Amino acid sequence: RKHRTHLCRSFFFFFFFFGFHLGLDWMDEVDGRDGGGNGWTGGEVKVTFRVQAETRFGQEVLVSGSIGALGEFDVQRGVAMVCERPGVWSVSVVLEKGGSRGGEGTGVDGTWDGSIRYKYARTDRSTGAVDWEAGRERSLSLAFGSMEGDSVVKDVFREKPETLQEIFSTEAFTDVIFNRPERIRMSLNVAKAENSAAITKAVVLGKGSYSARFVVFAGQVRPDEAVYLIGSVEELGQNDFAKAIPMSDSQAPYWSVMVPFPEGKKHFSYKCFIANKKSPGSPIVIEDGPHREFSLTDPELAAIRQGRPCVIVHVGSDFSFQYPNPWRGSGVAVPVFSLRSEKSCGVGEFLDLKKMVDFCVATGNQLLQLLPINDTTVFNNWRDSYPYRANSSFALHPQYLNLDELGKMPEAIRAELNSERTRLNALSQIDYEGVMRVKMSIVKKMYALQKLEFFKTREFIEFFKENSSWLVPHALFRFFTDVNGTANFDQWGIHGKITPKEMEALAAPDTFHFDYIGVNYFIQFHLHKQLTEVAEYATANRVVLKGDLPIGVSRYCTDTWVNPVLFRLNMRAGAPPDYFTEKGQNWGFPTYDWDTMAKDNFAWWRARLGQMSLFFKAYRIDHILGFFRIWEIPESWVTGMGGRYKPAIKIARSELDSRGLWDMDRYVSPYVHDGLVQRFFGSDWERVKGRFFESTWGGRLKFKEQFNTERKLQEALRLPESASAGELQYNQTLEDKLFILMNNLLLLEDIEEKGTYHPRFNFHSTTSFQELPGDWKRAFEEIYQDYFFRRQRELWRTQGLRKLPMMKSASGMLVCGEDLGFVPDCVPSVMDATSILGLRVQRMPGDDVEFGDPATYEYTSVATLSSHDTSTFRGWWENRDEMDLPKLRRYYKQVSAEWNRNWFYIPTEC
């Protein structure tokens, strides 16, 4: 039997000062710390942090950062701030310039380089609660040359993250769409020289002068454009575009400039604009809204007068350019296998993606999203074509290998390839098994010809060094799968469990079986090489490659074999029953042991995402709801009906007692009696009852021991392949009905904590609930509403905030989460707090409408007509059946701008 998959149709200048006497005697007045009155030596620098932060009674504000003097982000060692006036907190910290700081910002010589990362936090004196400001850590540089002195930092406490900064500073934008090549950027040395010149000018202006450092985040500036600063004072061009000050892009997308101001300039307004570098006086985009206001308070003026020798005022660390129109991009989502070309062999291959990149460029699309591309080879048949059941979270799928790129082929192998390619490409559908058979045959022949030289090449040696942590286990897993005829490592005897030392010995080049290992190295090397070529091509053409991160891994895969402690192998992930699937879903994937994963700071996830980032600049998290809670199903269940959320605050027996619910057997056992069996099985009811049930008290029935789980039932009803269609249909119907009866209950006892319970999802639909007395019904309804919609809210929010920031920090990729289904109330706020994009599918709206309206979607959304869980839009439109026609007409009337008011007319082609 073959599985067939359808084909988817800056003249800069330096100031050199050899010593000067320009009436700067005021410098000798500064507290004498220089030891001789001959000017400041630069041994210390004072930084005054001032932040606008609203607090309530009992709260205080502190600042903590990456260096020891700021507590290295340890709240207990953070620097407490003083409330100057309601809403304004400040503190001055003296730092030793050039002194050893340790940790971040420490140079190779052990001295601090002047860079700081920091954040503000509110603390509660009575409870000890800590409320860090939202968003990423702030950054501050205090090293601008030899003349800089004290600094005043003016900030505003972030109540919510700077979402657009978070998004537009990802690699999708900085490295691809709005990439500014290093060759066109101002170098850091030039930027430092310009800052030094500005500081020196401020020194020349005399006591009370200062340098203001303006920083703005502008993530949507094209290579031929630059950001400029104008303002209401002479130093900022008096709002004359022709006199605007260019900002430095040395650390783009953060643009900065240092401007000297004389004493007395304590209030002015300013804003930024974007212009072509060849015509800077002609703005392309001017910041939206009113001018920003800059003011110096009396304490800040005092700090400037008392500072050494030129105070730098840092004007906010996270201002964003206010674009009048939000940026929008478009893209295409495709499975690689559907991109079959004349040069590929029976299936779309990685190198075919170049043509898709060309298509994106020609059509103005900026993003190309792929389905998962990891190796799924477990059964060695058509079932391996399912892309969401990987045998490794790191290895790539051999079907995507282009055979022509393996090297020079002998004529016989070339002839075989050409013949098979012609045959497979002529098929209207993909023959997965045929493709894999042909590719593996030719790969093994090419490996045999090249292996002696291949393992000596610098390319492979470097590849192996960088990837051996997953490459060796994967190759061994594939070897043992082939040798044992199964990926079920529980059947591998002594090799069912493996240690790093054992893997090293088993994969040694001098073993008799090394060619089984080596050929997998060969395959993965070439797949890595070809996909890297595609990734570089896409980046060069400003097209973002977006990957897909499946929520789970196969029960029997390299990851679970090598790292079993990271998984709950006796559980399965899935989804609860809903409108589309009455039985729920059991995906067959083991769930994650998040507590164990946290012990090494989620090293497995970080490695997995690090590997993805070699090829992708964005990725989609499949079923992001699983990072808040997962629908976990004990392995004795086949369907998703017996699942319960993990983690969850369970229901204690005492809680049931307090509600007058005492009949536990009635609640936790399948509720079955003669009347139900008759209703379900009609005239066959007595035979079904006799085979599967036995009587218990109160006229109720219970499943016999040999049939008391879904899995036991399924095994008992399994028929041989020779069974007739009628027999197969009868047993399937029987199984479906028995499964419904087995799940005709109200409570599920927790597997690990006996005496605690979970409500059966959607128990309102069961006869067990419907036949309850009224007071019990009301009690169970209260329990249900509390369990699913109230009591878990904070727990699930905490879980999301525990995991998703890690997912964000593990790479520089743009992150999108598939937030579809039964979405807890806490999910949108956590995704907003972590700046993860949501997914909106027009034909799967989350509210009570038939079709979603993109005009109402949040800006931070990926909007799509279809997903991998639906038909393509074209497929839905053109391959309609009679049931879809009314829905299609409603879509055409409500959504299409081309509706011609003829209710019965809809185009036949999309």
Side-chain angles (χ1 to χ4, degrees), residues 171-241:
E171 293 172 351
F173 295 98
T174 62
D175 292 6
V176 185
I177 298 176
F178 294 106
N179 177 39
R180 298 185 72 79
E182 205 68 38
R183 57 185 170 78
I184 72 168
R185 293 192 188 195
M186 179 184 290
S187 73
L188 288 172
N189 285 335
V190 173
K192 186 174 180 178
E194 290 194 349
N195 288 328
S196 293
I199 292 169
T200 304
K201 286 183 179 179
V203 172
V204 173
L205 289 173
K207 187 174 183 178
S209 63
Y210 61 93
S211 286
R213 186 168 189 259
F214 298 88
V215 180
V216 64
F217 179 88
Q220 305 167 38
V221 185
R222 303 191 181 281
D224 58 346
E225 299 171 348
V227 180
Y228 297 83
L229 178 68
I230 58 171
S232 59
V233 291
E234 182 181 358
E235 290 78 9
L236 298 180
Q238 295 180 315
N239 290 325
D240 185 344
F241 292 127

Side-chain angles (χ1 to χ4, degrees), residues 735-752:
E735 178 184 294
D736 290 343
K737 293 180 178 179
L738 288 171
F739 278 4
I740 293 173
L741 288 176
M742 185 164 286
N743 289 278
N744 191 28
L745 39 74
L746 303 171
L747 296 175
L748 297 160
E749 187 169 23
D750 191 75
I751 298 294
E752 295 155 328

Side-chain angles (χ1 to χ4, degrees), residues 447 450-457 460-461 514-515 517-519 521-522:
Y447 167 76
Q450 299 180 15
K451 62 182 181 179
L452 295 179
E453 295 301 319
F454 171 73
F455 292 117
K456 299 176 186 178
T457 62
F460 172 75
I461 293 172
F514 179 72
D515 280 342
I517 310 300
V519 71
Y521 293 172
F522 183 76

Side-chain angles (χ1 to χ4, degrees), residues 661-732:
L661 300 172
W662 51 268
D663 191 354
M664 295 307 299
D665 183 67
R666 169 70 173 81
Y667 311 144
V668 302
S669 299
Y671 179 65
V672 186
H673 52 71
D674 284 358
L676 280 178
V677 179
Q678 290 183 53
R679 187 190 312 173
F680 270 68
F681 300 102
S683 60
D684 204 26
W685 78 273
E686 289 185 304
R687 189 163 70 91
V688 171
K689 174 186 173 181
R691 179 181 178 187
F692 296 102
F693 297 96
E694 60 186 33
S695 297
T696 182
W697 65 276
R700 301 221 300 263
L701 304 175
K702 71 175 183 178
F703 282 90
K704 293 179 179 179
E705 179 71 23
Q706 63 268 38
F707 306 121
N708 64 358
T709 72
E710 286 187 349
R711 199 160 298 280
K712 288 180 181 179
L713 267 175
Q714 187 179 63
E715 288 302 316
L717 294 171
R718 192 182 303 278
L719 292 173
E721 292 185 5
S722 59
S724 68
E727 291 173 316
L728 292 171
Q729 180 61 50
Y730 176 83
N731 271 29
Q732 184 62 60

Side-chain angles (χ1 to χ4, degrees), residues 48 50 150-154 300 303-304 311-315:
T48 300
R50 301 188 77 254
D150 297 344
S151 286
V152 175
V153 181
K154 295 166 66 68
E300 290 168 345
I304 290 172
V311 170
I312 301 170
V313 178
H314 297 261
V315 188

